[in-house]
Every structure is written in C-alpha cells, then in structure tokens.
Amino acid sequence: MSDTEYMQAALAQANLAAQAGELPVGCVIARDGEIIARAHNECEARRDATAHAELLAIQRASAACGDWRLNRCTLYVTLEPCPMCAGAIVQARVGRLVYGAQNPRQGCAGSLYRIPEDPAFPHFCPSDGGALKEACQALLEAFFKNRR
C-alpha cells in the first residue's frame, strides 16, 4: 500500500471520530505492508485527555507486535501530533511518521517544534507532513464549523 492508501485508512478513522462527536483525528500504524493498528480520538467517550488517536494506536500496535518498540512501523495520522503524541512517538521508537493537516496551534512535528526529529532525544523518527492535507483539513474545518 502507498502512503495515500494508509492515510485514507486514517481518514476513515477520523470520520468515525467525527460521527461520535470527537475531534476528527484518525491514525493507523503499518508494518511490513499491513495495518496492525487503527484508532481515532476517544477523549470525550473516555473522559480522558490522553485518549488521542496516536496513543491508542501505539498501544494497539505494541499489543499486536508483542513489543513496545515500533521501529519497523510507520504511523499515519490525519493531524500533526501534539507535544504529548510526538513524545509518545519518540518513546515508542516509531520508525516513521506521516501526517496530513498541519496543526499550527499545537503541532510538534514541524509547525511549532520537531520533537520526533530532535537530536537531543535518543530516537530519531523522520516525519513527513501534507499527505492528503486538503481532505484532512476539510474534515477538521467541517467539524469546527458545525460546533460553532
């Protein structure tokens, strides 16, 4: 599968989040050409500020791999990770990060800071932004327009 196809799977997760009244962020984690984890934001449902799509997907991928080290995996997420999620990506040793829309207010994989690529940390995770950017951004804009 291509980055576009994986991001489409992440967008499907983001749509599930939107339908549930959650901030529409979706994430998939792939390893060896196969999706091993899928998640979307569940902060409202769980009443848990840490129930971000990336963290839930990392937990599920670790369970699927039987290892907390995800260095052979690529994480695809529809919105640039916040500081918490970017830190978790580094801690889980994710091999590569691909995100859709930029997050100018909290993005820590390129917009405000580049936590996954900071040489001060023991793991370097290359990150690429802009995959299906317009579709990811449109979903977020529709969500916030409906909330106002």
Side-chain angles (χ1 to χ4, degrees), residues 65-81:
C65 293
D67 192 352
W68 61 269
R69 294 171 193 86
L70 302 177
N71 57 326
R72 291 179 35 218
C73 298
T74 300
L75 186 146
Y76 296 86
V77 63
T78 57
L79 180 64
E80 180 183 357

Side-chain angles (χ1 to χ4, degrees), residues 1-19 23-30 35-41 53-54 57 60 74-80 97-101 131-133 135-137 139-140:
M1 291 177 65
S2 67
D3 284 351
T4 299
E5 292 168 309
Y6 288 120
M7 189 58 75
Q8 287 170 336
L11 270 166
Q13 289 295 308
N15 276 305
L16 292 174
Q19 291 168 16
L23 181 66
V25 177
C27 182
V28 300
I29 298 179
I35 294 175
I36 61 167
R38 300 170 193 265
H40 57 75
N41 275 10
E54 300 96 320
R60 293 170 186 163
T74 300
L75 186 146
Y76 296 86
V77 63
T78 57
L79 180 64
E80 180 183 357
L97 165 65
V98 178
Y99 64 88
L132 296 181
K133 177 182 177 178
C136 295
Q137 188 67 42
L139 185 58
L140 288 161

Side-chain angles (χ1 to χ4, degrees), residues 32-47:
D32 300 331
E34 178 183 340
I35 294 175
I36 61 167
R38 300 170 193 265
H40 57 75
N41 275 10
E42 295 183 26
C43 295
E44 301 299 329
R46 293 181 182 218
R47 296 183 175 162

Side-chain angles (χ1 to χ4, degrees), residues 100-139:
Q102 287 184 306
N103 186 351
R105 296 183 70 195
Q106 295 185 45
C108 282
S111 291
L112 299 177
Y113 194 65
R114 296 188 79 88
I115 290 173
E117 296 180 355
D118 189 321
F121 296 115
H123 176 72
F124 180 89
C125 177
S127 56
D128 299 306
L132 296 181
K133 177 182 177 178
E134 293 79 16
C136 295
Q137 188 67 42
L139 185 58

Side-chain angles (χ1 to χ4, degrees), residues 44-61:
E44 301 299 329
R46 293 181 182 218
R47 296 183 175 162
D48 180 354
T50 68
H52 289 201
E54 300 96 320
L55 297 182
L56 298 173
I58 286 170
Q59 292 168 3
R60 293 170 186 163

